Amino acid sequence: MDGHVDLGRYGEDLAARYLRDRGLQVLERNWRCPEGEIDLVALDGDCLVVCEVKTRRGTGLGDPLEAVTWRKARRLRRLAAAYLRSRPSAVPQVRIDVIGILAEPGRRPVLRHVVAVGS
């Protein structure tokens, strides 16, 4: 991995595979609108899942999950609403998840999944 973009893509690939392995259907990757971007949009049964992925090479800047502050969670809720406006459908539930990945060089990546942040 050469840079920040490669690290982010690597983390999103791991996260998408992790969600699929747990039975979720990944609908979108890097969905963009004027308000911002959603890393992953998935379907978990009848629940739409907006998933933020944070990947770090180390903990010098803190745990990857710590990067999702209350401000970021609020922004993710706005992005979830924008996504639903753009894709009218009968989705009864929406939740916001965060996947943190610690990808230290020479070690197996460690993935942590937090379900329904800020609920």
Side-chain angles (χ1 to χ4, degrees):
M1 291 177 285
D2 289 337
H4 178 74
V5 172
D6 289 340
L7 181 65
R9 187 173 298 124
Y10 171 74
E12 288 170 7
D13 288 346
L14 285 178
R17 186 174 28 210
Y18 168 87
L19 293 175
R20 280 191 212 99
D21 288 350
R22 274 140 194 88
L24 280 74
Q25 178 186 359
V26 176
L27 303 174
E28 306 253 6
R29 290 185 61 165
N30 305 113
W31 181 82
R32 289 178 176 84
C33 71
E35 290 95 19
E37 178 183 313
I38 299 172
D39 293 332
L40 298 171
V41 179
L43 200 56
D44 186 5
D46 62 355
C47 182
L48 186 77
V49 179
V50 170
C51 188
E52 177 73 6
V53 180
K54 291 295 181 186
T55 308
R56 300 282 185 265
R57 285 195 177 99
T59 57
L61 298 175
D63 185 278
L65 294 174
E66 293 173 0
V68 180
T69 63
W70 67 269
R71 241 184 219 117
K72 180 66 173 179
R74 185 175 66 194
R75 185 166 182 252
L76 289 167
R77 284 192 291 279
R78 285 196 308 267
L79 286 167
Y83 182 83
L84 289 172
R85 284 192 303 272
S86 76
R87 309 276 195 286
S89 63
V91 177
Q93 297 178 342
V94 178
R95 76 171 195 247
I96 297 169
D97 290 5
V98 178
I99 293 179
I101 300 170
L102 188 57
E104 294 178 290
R107 300 181 118 167
R108 185 181 175 135
V110 176
L111 185 147
R112 291 179 33 217
H113 181 195
V114 179
V115 177
V117 299
S119 303

